[in-house]
Amino acid sequence: MKNKIKVFRAMHDLTQEDLAKAIGVTRQTILAIEKGKYVPSLDLAIKIARHFNVTIEEIFLYDAVTSTVAID
Amino acid sequence: MKKNSFYLIVGCIAIVLVGLFWYSEEIHTPLLIEIAFIAAVAAVYLARRKVVDLIEDERSAKITEKAAMRTLQVFWVVFCAFSIGAVMQILHVPSFPRAAPPIRPSEILPPRSMGYVQLGLLCLMFFLYVGFRMYYARKYGDWEIDEE
């Protein structure tokens, strides 16, 4: 699952810490999501999308190959 | 309460427990350390609820869950394999009648030592959990280099 969180953070001039505090997770979780190490739950994905006032599809891009690896 | 204060409290509780273990051994009262251990765990849980700067999110919950599951998966196989062998040795199941005298299984460990090995395996479970936790923490990006 690829994502554009980093882009949206830059657009809103937010640090990882700011975003993490706003949605109630750790900064390490934001970093892990940005790097594609962790796929967030639907709940967290919605929180992130709502924070930037966009839809989930605008932030998260489904990639069948990498998503299969992530499930393993 | 701050996170560091919590760790300090946990350290103090651990030291007190070690002292109590020593004392209960001296007065030959195992009940003392058993009750103290339960009380200590309860105290740690209560103190943990008071920590304000310790965020537990879904990623950390997933790391804990995966590590615990893998630990149990490995542990029960090793523990059961050893325990089955131990039970077989203790029970002396009668062999089927045959011409030759019945063969007794060779004693690998005396029953008392088997208990110690099982206790050791239980202690190893903790280290197994720590190992799996480190593995999954790394897998889910705990030690990633920050690009900010």
Side-chain angles (χ1 to χ4, degrees), chain A residues 2-33:
Chain A
K2 289 176 181 172
N3 66 76
K4 296 180 189 167
I5 295 175
K6 202 169 184 174
V7 177
F8 277 90
R9 270 199 312 109
M11 281 162 63
H12 288 79
D13 197 23
L14 283 174
T15 62
Q16 288 173 342
E17 190 74 51
D18 295 336
L19 180 61
K21 271 186 185 167
I23 57 175
V25 294
T26 58
R27 190 186 60 81
Q28 212 60 35
T29 298
I30 299 296
L31 178 63
I33 296 169

Side-chain angles (χ1 to χ4, degrees), chain A residues 6 16 27 29 38 41, chain B residues 57-58 144 146-148:
Chain A
K6 202 169 184 174
Q16 288 173 342
R27 190 186 60 81
T29 298
Y38 176 68
S41 68
Chain B
D57 59 9
E58 59 174 51
E144 284 293 318
D146 200 351
E147 287 178 356
E148 271 188 339

Side-chain angles (χ1 to χ4, degrees), chain B residues 32-44:
Chain B
L32 177 67
I33 185 64
E34 285 166 11
I35 291 169
F37 185 76
I38 292 167
V41 172
V44 168

Side-chain angles (χ1 to χ4, degrees), chain B residues 105-116:
Chain B
S106 57
E107 196 168 272
I108 304 162
L109 282 172
R112 193 182 170 88
S113 301
M114 283 174 196
Y116 286 132

Side-chain angles (χ1 to χ4, degrees), chain B residues 75-86:
Chain B
F75 177 75
W76 84 263
V77 175
V78 178
F79 193 81
C80 284
F82 181 80
S83 299
I84 289 166

Side-chain angles (χ1 to χ4, degrees), chain A:
Chain A
M1 184 86 77
K2 289 176 181 172
N3 66 76
K4 296 180 189 167
I5 295 175
K6 202 169 184 174
V7 177
F8 277 90
R9 270 199 312 109
M11 281 162 63
H12 288 79
D13 197 23
L14 283 174
T15 62
Q16 288 173 342
E17 190 74 51
D18 295 336
L19 180 61
K21 271 186 185 167
I23 57 175
V25 294
T26 58
R27 190 186 60 81
Q28 212 60 35
T29 298
I30 299 296
L31 178 63
I33 296 169
E34 280 183 3
K35 290 225 167 194
K37 288 265 180 179
Y38 176 68
V39 179
S41 68
L42 186 59
D43 190 59
L44 184 55
I46 290 171
K47 275 184 189 171
I48 295 169
R50 282 193 178 168
H51 187 77
F52 293 122
N53 283 318
V54 290
T55 59
I56 293 177
E57 289 87 352
E58 284 177 79
I59 296 184
F60 295 97
L61 310 160
Y62 182 71
D63 181 1
V65 179
T66 53
S67 295
T68 312
V69 173
I71 291 165
D72 292 339

